[in-house]
């Protein structure tokens, strides 16, 4: 996706700033590669998943195999695999600094 932004973070955030893209990446890192499997593991509409997968293919993060037709696989490209350390860092930060609801609650507390 060509961009006129002189800032690499700005260019990357156009794709990676979308919550669904990060969750699709998570599933791809776990080995998920079929549309129906992404759909079954994420609380996402078919239209939103189709759109995000298209963005990710256009950005070179995923490849669609075969490029046309049904029953395609979505595989991480080298550019997608290069995001793994960044994804792992975000996950580690979330594990440390953003406790799960049940961990943040005390006795008798209700989830927010």
């Amino acid at each position: 996706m060509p961009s006129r932004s002189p800032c690499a973070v700005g260019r990357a955030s156009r794709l990676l700033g979308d919550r669904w893209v990060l969750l699709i990446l998570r599933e791809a890192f776990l080995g998920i590669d079929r549309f129906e499997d992404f759909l079954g593991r994420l609380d996402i509409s078919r239209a939103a998943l189709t759109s995000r997968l298209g963005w990710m293919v256009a950005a070179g993060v995923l490849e669609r195999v075969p490029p046309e037709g049904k029953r395609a696989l979505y595989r991480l490209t080298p550019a997608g695999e290069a995001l793994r350390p960044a994804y792992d860092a975000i996950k580690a930060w979330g594990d440390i600094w953003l406790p799960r609801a049940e961990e943040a609650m005390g006795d008798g507390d209700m989830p927010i």
Side-chain angles (χ1 to χ4, degrees):
M1 282 186 255
S3 172
R4 289 183 270 193
S5 176
C7 174
V9 172
R11 291 190 308 271
S13 71
R14 291 188 65 205
L15 176 71
L16 301 175
D18 183 90
R19 84 174 256 225
W20 290 119
V21 168
L22 288 176
L23 295 175
I24 292 166
L25 274 175
R26 176 193 67 196
E27 298 305 320
F29 290 143
L30 293 172
I32 300 303
D33 60 5
R34 294 205 177 269
F35 183 92
E36 293 299 327
D37 294 334
F38 285 112
L39 195 62
R41 292 175 61 100
L42 299 168
D43 186 23
I44 187 172
S45 71
R46 293 183 86 79
L49 179 58
T50 298
S51 171
R52 290 348 183 262
L53 289 171
W55 293 356
M56 295 171 79
V57 168
V61 172
L62 295 175
E63 65 178 337
R64 190 175 192 277
V65 181
E68 303 296 326
K70 297 190 182 243
R71 299 274 183 211
L73 298 176
Y74 291 90
R75 294 188 180 140
L76 288 161
T77 64
E81 282 293 343
L83 287 166
R84 190 181 296 267
Y87 176 85
D88 289 343
I90 292 169
K91 180 184 179 307
W93 183 87
D95 286 341
I96 293 168
W97 296 104
L98 299 174
R100 295 179 187 176
E102 61 270 14
E103 295 169 0
M105 294 186 313
D107 291 335
D109 286 345
M110 296 296 292
I112 298 174

